């Protein structure tokens, strides 16, 4: 039986729910990334490193809500913190005490952060960081990396995953292509696109647009393009260029922050940006984000300065309680050691499975995150190289893994696998075994 037919046979409740839901919710999902063919899976519950779908089928989960569930699903410590806070009020309209300890814990992990503000989503955090950089410099242009995703903001949703590869433009001079209809042309013109790991290309753009660029926005490790680590000295050069051209470096640690390490990519690669953005892991599964940086910059925010930042739910008590429990009690140094060990085991298992089955593929990895680039000989150094991978083969891998009870990553070739504090060695072994079976099946088909 074809794998897609097995999927349909296994998941009748998801199919029925999709048919019902898609009548009233476009595509039957509330974020497009959850959609895949023939129809998405719908989940009933999660616990630790596992999820159960509407048919009661169990999955080892390596998507982990795209990096938000590093604490593990329904982690008892976080559940208790949320329950306790709910009894005392979920939204008070005045700031509660949790924001203080949580901000200090983030600053302990990221010593260059002198002040921060909370928000609810990664998209808000990057939006406000860009607004702040524009307010500070009085300039409007921003530079971003081809293939990078920073939320669906008009200014940053440019040359992320254009519908056709040709829209990426010349390899020497990447184009600024809006990913969404409805993006104002004026907005597209404000966003300049360069390759990750290409300091020379960055310098060319900064020279050409001298005194026009407010900020460079980049992740420390390019995620959402598979997983691509920075080459040696790349960030030293980026920092030097920012200083030379009077530009702010905004480091987007929404996905990597408190995930790749206690202090995220900043700690791993010794990067000191001017502003940094967080979300996902810091909320322990609740909607919580933050942006922060040097005091002189953060003091430009209202009511101290003229850069506006609002939000009814900012630093709401439920999210700060969940975030605090997550960062102080769950994601301890012991937890990172466990997560990294399991991440290494998973990486090695996948590399062995590829070698043993003779499938042509490269494996990207940074601590607990990883991905398979099918059809590539070596790990790419930027999105352009990564996007030459065999996406059709990745789709086969995806459906095969689902049929074997594994959610190998987010639902597209450019997503990553993750490991949580609640995954167990047996989960990792199950994933490795399923990878072997899947690759053998793909090779045979
Ligand atoms: C690097 C990065 N920045 C920003 C965002 C946007 O975060 P959110 O989905 O919370 O708006 C994402 C989401 O995946 C992300 O991966």
């Amino acid at each position: 039986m074809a794998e897609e037919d097995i999927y349909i046979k296994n998941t009748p409740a998801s199919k029925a729910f999709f048919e019902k839901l898609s009548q009233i919710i476009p595509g039957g999902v509330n974020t497009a990334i959850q959609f895949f063919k023939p129809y998405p899976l719908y989940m009933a519950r999660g616990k630790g490193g596992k999820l159960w779908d509407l048919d009661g089928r169990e999955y080892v989960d390596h998507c982990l809500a795209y990096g938000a569930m590093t604490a593990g699903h329904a982690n008892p410590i976080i559940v208790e913190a949320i329950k306790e806070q709910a009894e005392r009020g979920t939204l008070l309209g005045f700031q509660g005490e949790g924001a203080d300890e949580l901000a200090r814990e983030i600053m302990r992990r990221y010593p260059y952060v002198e002040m921060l503000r909370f928000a609810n989503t990664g998209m808000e955090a990057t939006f406000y960081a860009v607004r702040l950089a524009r307010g500070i410099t009085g300039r409007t242009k921003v530079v971003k990396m081809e293939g990078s995703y920073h939320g669906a903001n008009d200014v940053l949703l440019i040359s992320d995953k254009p519908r056709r590869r040709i829209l990426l433009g010349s390899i020497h001079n990447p184009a600024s292509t809006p990913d969404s209809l409805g993006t104002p042309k004026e907005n597209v013109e404000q966003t300049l696109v360069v390759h990750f790991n290409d300091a020379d290309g960055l310098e060319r753009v900064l020279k050409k647009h001298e005194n026009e660029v407010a900020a460079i926005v980049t992740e420390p490790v390019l995620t959402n393009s598979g997983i691509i680590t920075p080459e040696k000295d790349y960030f030293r050069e980026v920092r030097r260029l920012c200083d030379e051209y009077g530009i702010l470096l905004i480091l987007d640690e929404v996905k990597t922050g408190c995930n790749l390490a206690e202090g995220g990519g900043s700690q791993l690669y010794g990067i000191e940006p001017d502003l940094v953005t967080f979300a996902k892991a810091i909320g322990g599964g609740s909607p919580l984000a933050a942006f922060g940086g040097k005091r002189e910059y953060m003091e430009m925010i209202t009511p101290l300065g003229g850069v506006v930042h609002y939000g009814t739910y900012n630093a709401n008590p439920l999210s700060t309680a969940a975030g605090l429990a997550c960062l102080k009690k769950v994601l301890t140094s012991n937890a990172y050691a466990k997560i990294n060990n399991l991440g290494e085991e998973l990486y090695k298992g996948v590399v062995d499975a590829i070698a043993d089955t003779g499938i042509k593929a490269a494996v990207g990895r940074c601590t607990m995150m990883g991905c398979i680039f099918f059809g590539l000989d070596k790990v790419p150094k930027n999105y352009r190289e990564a996007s030459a991978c065999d996406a059709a083969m990745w789709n086969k891998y995806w459906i095969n893994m689902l049929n074997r009870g594994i959610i190998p990553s987010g639902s597209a070739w450019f997503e990553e696998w993750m490991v949580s504090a609640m995954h167990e060695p047996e989960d990792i072994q199950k994933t490795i075994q399923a990878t072997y079976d899947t690759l053998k099946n793909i090779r045979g088909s």
Side-chain angles (χ1 to χ4, degrees):
M1 202 191 274
E3 288 296 320
E4 189 164 309
D5 295 331
I6 298 174
Y7 176 79
I8 292 169
K9 183 169 153 278
N10 283 344
T11 58
S14 282
K15 184 167 191 286
F17 193 65
F18 170 67
E19 281 159 10
K20 185 172 143 201
L21 197 65
S22 51
Q23 302 295 315
I24 50 169
I25 304 270
V29 288
N30 285 287
T31 174
I33 191 70
Q34 288 177 2
F35 180 85
F36 57 88
K37 286 183 178 165
Y39 51 83
L41 274 178
Y42 293 90
M43 292 298 171
R45 68 188 175 92
K47 181 78 194 161
K50 297 199 178 79
L51 293 174
W52 285 265
D53 71 10
L54 298 189
D55 287 285
R57 281 174 57 82
E58 180 182 293
Y59 299 85
V60 177
D61 180 22
H62 295 288
C63 170
L64 293 169
Y66 297 84
M69 293 310 306
T70 312
H73 296 288
N75 186 301
I77 295 172
I78 296 176
V79 171
E80 199 44 44
I82 291 175
K83 269 191 196 160
E84 266 179 31
Q85 183 56 52
E87 299 276 351
R88 288 185 281 131
T90 56
L91 191 62
L92 307 175
F94 293 84
Q95 186 57 61
E97 286 178 330
D100 175 56
E101 212 183 331
L102 183 56
R104 286 178 200 282
E105 172 59 16
I106 294 172
M107 289 170 182
R108 186 189 67 75
R109 291 167 178 243
Y110 290 79
Y112 60 78
V113 177
E114 294 170 348
M115 288 185 113
L116 63 77
R117 267 286 177 91
F118 287 105
N120 307 288
T121 65
M123 170 172 162
E124 283 173 58
T126 57
F127 169 87
Y128 281 111
V130 167
R131 173 181 281 177
L132 181 54
R134 286 172 161 177
I136 292 164
T137 59
R139 305 182 200 138
T140 48
K141 286 197 177 1
V142 297
V143 178
K144 78 174 285 280
M145 306 297 140
E146 184 173 278
S148 71
Y149 179 65
H150 303 286
N153 306 316
D154 277 355
V155 70
L156 293 174
L157 195 64
I158 304 285
S159 299
D160 167 17
K161 310 285 172 310
R163 270 154 216 276
R164 277 170 291 128
R165 203 157 181 268
I166 191 133
L167 297 175
L168 291 171
S170 156
I171 196 162
H172 308 294
N173 188 14
S176 296
T177 303
D179 286 81
S180 175
L181 294 177
T183 309
K185 182 166 105 322
E186 297 72 21
N187 249 298
V188 180
E189 288 163 5
Q190 299 308 323
T191 307
L192 309 167
V193 179
V194 298
H195 297 296
F196 191 68
N197 275 326
D198 179 12
D200 292 343
L202 176 61
E203 184 155 24
R204 273 198 306 277
V205 166
L206 295 184
K207 236 184 218 154
K208 186 166 167 207
H209 295 278
E210 211 165 0
N211 296 322
E212 293 177 60
V213 177
I216 295 166
V217 184
T218 180
E219 293 184 279
V221 169
L222 198 59
T223 69
N224 305 309
S225 297
I227 185 124
I228 302 177
T229 53
E231 287 177 345
K232 193 168 167 290
D233 293 338
Y234 170 63
F235 271 104
R236 212 182 58 197
E237 277 300 284
V238 173
R239 181 69 267 176
R240 181 185 68 75
L241 290 170
C242 285
D243 294 341
E244 195 174 318
Y245 285 85
I247 290 159
L248 268 69
L249 175 57
I250 300 177
L251 199 66
D252 181 354
E253 288 244 37
V254 164
K255 206 174 215 179
T256 53
C258 304
N259 264 340
L260 292 180
E262 194 176 67
S266 301
Q267 177 192 320
L268 279 185
Y269 297 100
I271 308 165
E272 270 215 26
D274 300 293
L275 297 173
V276 59
T277 58
F278 305 105
K280 300 197 190 253
I282 65 162
S286 73
L288 183 73
F291 63 102
K294 295 200 166 77
R295 178 175 296 274
E296 61 173 303
Y297 298 147
M298 294 304 287
E299 284 183 344
M300 298 270 299
I301 297 172
T302 47
L304 305 181
V307 178
V308 168
H309 170 231
Y310 294 143
T312 302
Y313 296 96
N314 290 352
N316 69 79
L318 275 189
S319 294
T320 50
L324 201 53
C326 175
L327 294 191
K328 295 275 275 196
K329 296 186 183 161
V330 179
L331 296 182
T332 58
S333 44
N334 282 346
Y336 285 107
K338 175 188 167 187
I339 290 170
N340 283 343
N341 284 341
L342 292 182
E344 187 168 353
E345 211 174 298
L346 179 53
Y347 169 77
K348 283 187 178 147
V350 172
V351 168
D352 287 348
I354 287 170
D356 292 353
T357 52
I359 294 270
K360 183 177 167 189
V363 186
R365 180 201 171 205
C366 187
T367 67
M368 52 83 105
M369 295 188 196
C371 72
I372 303 180
F373 295 105
F374 285 99
L376 298 191
D377 286 325
K378 59 181 178 34
V379 177
K381 64 177 186 305
N382 58 36
Y383 172 76
R384 190 75 65 114
E385 289 180 8
S387 65
C389 74
D390 187 340
M393 190 173 269
W394 189 92
N395 289 340
K396 286 187 190 167
Y397 157 76
W398 167 255
I399 202 105
N400 266 267
M401 293 294 275
L402 295 186
N403 288 345
R404 288 165 175 77
I406 311 289
I407 297 172
S409 66
S411 63
W413 72 262
F414 47 79
E415 294 293 342
E416 309 79 39
W417 71 63
M418 319 242 176
V419 177
S420 81
M422 291 177 81
H423 274 106
E424 294 302 335
E426 305 82 80
D427 298 325
I428 304 302
Q429 284 315 314
K430 200 172 162 202
T431 304
I432 293 170
Q433 186 57 52
T435 307
Y436 264 99
D437 296 343
T438 289
L439 297 183
K440 276 188 210 147
N441 198 22
I442 292 176
R443 193 190 51 196
S445 66

